[in-house]
């Protein structure tokens, strides 16, 4: 199951979302070009990745933010940027440009702190934007639980494109992070499941004041959990232009 777009086009220009994508891509390309050896990469990670043991020793607190802009490979980067592209513009529209930037960073820091709590003395570096993006997904779930998400289903030789409610996609994703965190030794490296789960929970919590300002349960009653505007047309409707989002 892999989400490729939502039926929730934004009505404004998501400058912060685009800037975050551009910055992450630029940093990754710089890493590919500038880091010639494993020693170069180790120095970069030591200085800018979130290393739990260093944070526990009250060292390098800036890495709680800087680690959000480092990625360990092309697929790591591409997957994160796709999720940010799908969900970021709508949260930016609701929060405003500055509010969304703060929300993104705060969710990422919270995600790193949850990961830190799961392995406070680990020397394994934690990198990636996924904790911050998980926060964006948590906020999206609160505001638009019934928005339609197009997902790809791979069934051996068949590929199906199926629209499903956002709450189902995001709830399944969150459940997988919890199960992954419970079933994985955090000292072995790999996927930072607790960062994902923590970022998601933090983003949902951070979005509660906005949801309450919109009316709380009354907001859901008015919108039925759907985007408060016309959804994007389904894929394949070439006679209707699709703006802002192309997936």
């Amino acid at each position: 199951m892999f989400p490729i777009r939502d039926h929730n086009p934004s009505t404004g220009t998501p400058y912060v979302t685009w800037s975050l994508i551009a910055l992450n891509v630029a940093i990754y390309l710089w890493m590919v070009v500038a880091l010639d050896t494993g020693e170069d990469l180790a120095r970069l990670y030591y200085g800018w990745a979130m290393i739990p043991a260093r944070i526990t020793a009250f060292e390098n607190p800036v890495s709680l933010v800087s680690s959000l802009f480092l990625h360990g490979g092309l697929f790591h980067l591409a997957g994160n940027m796709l999720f940010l592209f799908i969900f970021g513009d709508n949260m930016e529209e609701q929060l405003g440009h500055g509010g969304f930037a703060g929300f993104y960073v705060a969710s990422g820091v919270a995600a790193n702190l949850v990961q830190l709590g799961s392995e406070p003395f680990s020397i394994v570096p934690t990198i990636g934007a996924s904790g911050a993006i998980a926060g964006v997904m948590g906020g999206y779930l609160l505001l638009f639980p019934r928005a339609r998400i197009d997902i790809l289903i791979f069934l051996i030789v068949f590929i199906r494109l199926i629209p499903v409610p956002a709450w189902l996609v995001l709830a399944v994703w969150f459940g997988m992070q919890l199960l992954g965190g419970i079933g994985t030794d955090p000292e072995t490296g790999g996927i930072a499941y607790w960062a994902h789960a923590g970022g998601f929970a933090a983003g949902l919590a951070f979005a509660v004041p906005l949801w309450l300002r919109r009316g709380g349960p009354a907001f859901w009653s008015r919108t039925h959990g759907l985007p408060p505007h016309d959804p994007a047309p389904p894929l394949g409707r070439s006679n209707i232009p699709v703006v802002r989002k192309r997936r």
Side-chain angles (χ1 to χ4, degrees):
M1 184 177 70
F2 195 79
I4 60 170
R5 78 158 194 169
D6 65 347
H7 293 246
N8 192 1
S10 59
T11 58
T13 303
Y15 293 111
V16 174
T17 299
W18 289 355
S19 297
L20 287 169
I21 292 172
L23 180 59
N24 277 282
V25 171
I27 290 174
Y28 177 74
L29 292 176
W30 172 81
M31 290 173 62
V32 171
V33 172
L35 304 180
D36 296 326
T37 66
E39 288 80 5
D40 292 337
L41 186 63
R43 281 193 294 270
L44 178 73
Y45 284 171
Y46 186 79
W48 302 103
M50 196 281 288
I51 301 175
R54 295 196 70 194
I55 301 297
T56 301
F58 302 101
E59 297 178 5
N60 202 26
V62 71
S63 66
L64 292 170
V65 175
S66 61
S67 60
L68 305 177
F69 298 93
L70 303 176
H71 289 85
L74 182 59
F75 289 108
H76 185 204
L77 172 71
N80 279 345
M81 294 305 100
L82 174 62
F83 276 68
L84 179 56
F85 186 65
I86 293 173
F87 299 109
D89 61 336
N90 303 115
M91 290 303 297
E92 183 173 348
E93 183 175 26
Q94 295 298 314
L95 292 164
H97 303 307
F100 177 70
F103 178 92
Y104 181 90
V105 172
S107 295
V109 170
N112 273 333
L113 290 175
V114 171
Q115 187 68 29
L116 169 66
S118 74
E119 47 174 9
F121 302 106
S122 172
I123 60 171
V124 178
T126 297
I127 60 172
S130 50
I133 296 167
V136 174
M137 294 162 64
Y140 190 103
L141 173 63
L142 182 63
L143 296 180
F144 310 113
R146 294 183 61 200
R148 308 300 285 181
I149 308 292
D150 285 338
I151 63 171
L152 284 175
I153 300 290
F154 297 89
L155 302 172
I156 306 177
V157 296
F158 297 102
I159 300 176
R160 294 290 302 275
L161 182 65
I162 302 175
V164 297
W167 69 263
L168 179 60
V169 175
L170 297 175
V172 169
W173 183 89
F174 180 65
M176 291 172 62
Q177 308 316 304
L178 286 178
L179 290 175
I182 293 170
T184 302
D185 181 357
E187 296 290 340
T188 62
I191 298 174
Y193 289 109
W194 286 118
H196 296 172
F200 188 95
L204 195 155
F206 293 158
V208 167
L210 172 64
W211 177 67
L212 292 175
R213 288 198 302 272
R214 295 286 191 269
F219 175 72
W220 282 345
S221 298
R222 290 195 307 271
T223 65
H224 304 288
L226 296 168
H229 47 68
D230 293 334
L235 293 178
R237 294 282 296 277
S238 58
N239 57 315
I240 301 178
V242 179
V243 296
R244 307 217 187 279
K245 288 189 175 182
R246 297 188 183 123
R247 309 197 225 295

